[in-house]
Amino acid sequence: ILLLSVASIGFGCCSALVVVCFLFQEIHLIALVFGASLIGVAVDYSLHFVSKLQVLTNHNQSPAVLRQLLLPMALGLGTSILSYACLFQSNLKVLNEIAVFSMTGLLMSWLFVCVIYPVYFRKLLPTQSPLISALADLPSHFWKKKSYAALAGVVLITLTTSGFYFIKLSDDVKTFYKPPADLLASEQYLQKKFHIVFLDHFLFFRALAVASL
């Protein structure tokens, strides 16, 4: 199931990459990274399908999952595509590439789930192993014990309080970029020689004079 979820996202990303390269003749790295992360929403289609199939199986009903989930999944796909289509309002090419990449990737991932999943899940889902069931129930058993829950709460509050105590906030934009030491030394040297405070209004050129013989 996990591999199929990854396969649906991978199919959507590959299809989106082909479409963007065909329309724009290139793709920006930001569009590739940001668009691929947005397509991660498509994993919800796989989760909805498998969860609905598990519910129908537990109740001994006919696993007509696609017929019941087609409209809700189509509505979810439509709202996501409309939200990403708003990026077309910008004149920036990279935002248009992100919009095309995300819309195409979501659509192809949705089609992958609607076409491949009903063929693959013809049989009933296999029963879970006792180990997986025990691991899944472990958090609930942990929080049922009041002593463990209180201890976890105390540890969380302590870590949060210590984090707020040692954190340092700064709104100085200069902290985002630290100039090299030689550049700062040159600036201080020029300020000392010209007796000026700010060098923003000056341009200094350094050239080598070559004497021709």
Side-chain angles (χ1 to χ4, degrees):
I1 296 175
L2 181 59
L3 292 178
L4 278 178
S5 302
V6 175
S8 64
I9 298 176
F11 179 74
C13 291
C14 294
S15 302
L17 179 62
V18 172
V19 173
V20 172
C21 292
F22 176 77
L23 294 178
F24 298 94
Q25 304 302 320
E26 61 180 4
I27 183 170
H28 200 279
L29 180 61
I30 296 179
L32 181 61
V33 175
F34 192 76
S37 63
L38 289 178
I39 294 178
V41 181
V43 74
D44 294 339
Y45 306 144
S46 303
L47 296 177
H48 290 318
F49 189 95
V50 177
S51 300
K52 190 66 175 178
L53 181 61
Q54 184 69 30
V55 171
L56 293 178
T57 301
N58 291 337
H59 290 81
N60 296 323
Q61 299 178 8
S62 176
V65 180
L66 184 60
R67 185 172 64 252
Q68 298 187 17
L69 290 181
L70 186 60
L71 180 58
M73 290 173 57
L75 290 176
L77 174 67
T79 54
S80 300
I81 288 180
L82 287 177
S83 62
Y84 296 144
C86 296
L87 296 177
F88 285 118
Q89 298 178 357
S90 175
N91 294 326
L92 295 177
K93 184 179 179 181
V94 62
L95 293 182
N96 295 333
E97 292 180 3
I98 292 175
V100 175
F101 195 100
S102 303
M103 295 168 62
T104 305
L106 285 177
L107 178 60
M108 299 309 294
S109 298
W110 182 83
L111 289 176
F112 185 93
V113 173
C114 293
V115 175
I116 302 298
Y117 276 45
V119 177
Y120 182 80
F121 292 104
R122 289 182 178 179
K123 299 181 181 180
L124 300 180
L125 291 178
T127 58
Q128 296 181 355
S129 64
L131 178 60
I132 296 179
S133 301
L135 292 176
D137 296 336
L138 186 61
S140 61
H141 292 314
F142 176 83
W143 291 107
K144 285 180 180 179
K145 296 184 178 181
K146 297 182 179 180
S147 58
Y148 291 168
L151 179 61
V154 171
V155 172
L156 181 61
I157 293 175
T158 303
L159 292 177
T160 305
T161 305
S162 61
F164 279 112
Y165 178 77
F166 290 105
I167 194 173
K168 294 181 180 180
L169 301 178
S170 177
D171 57 351
D172 188 6
V173 296
K174 294 181 180 179
T175 57
F176 289 99
Y177 171 72
K178 186 178 181 180
D182 55 347
L183 181 60
L184 293 176
S186 301
E187 183 179 357
Q188 294 176 359
Y189 175 79
L190 292 175
Q191 289 177 349
K192 182 178 180 180
K193 290 296 183 181
F194 290 93
H195 303 286
I196 56 178
V197 179
F198 300 102
L199 298 176
D200 299 339
H201 305 290
F202 300 91
L203 293 176
F204 297 94
F205 298 92
R206 178 183 297 177
L208 296 176
V210 180
S212 59
L213 299 178

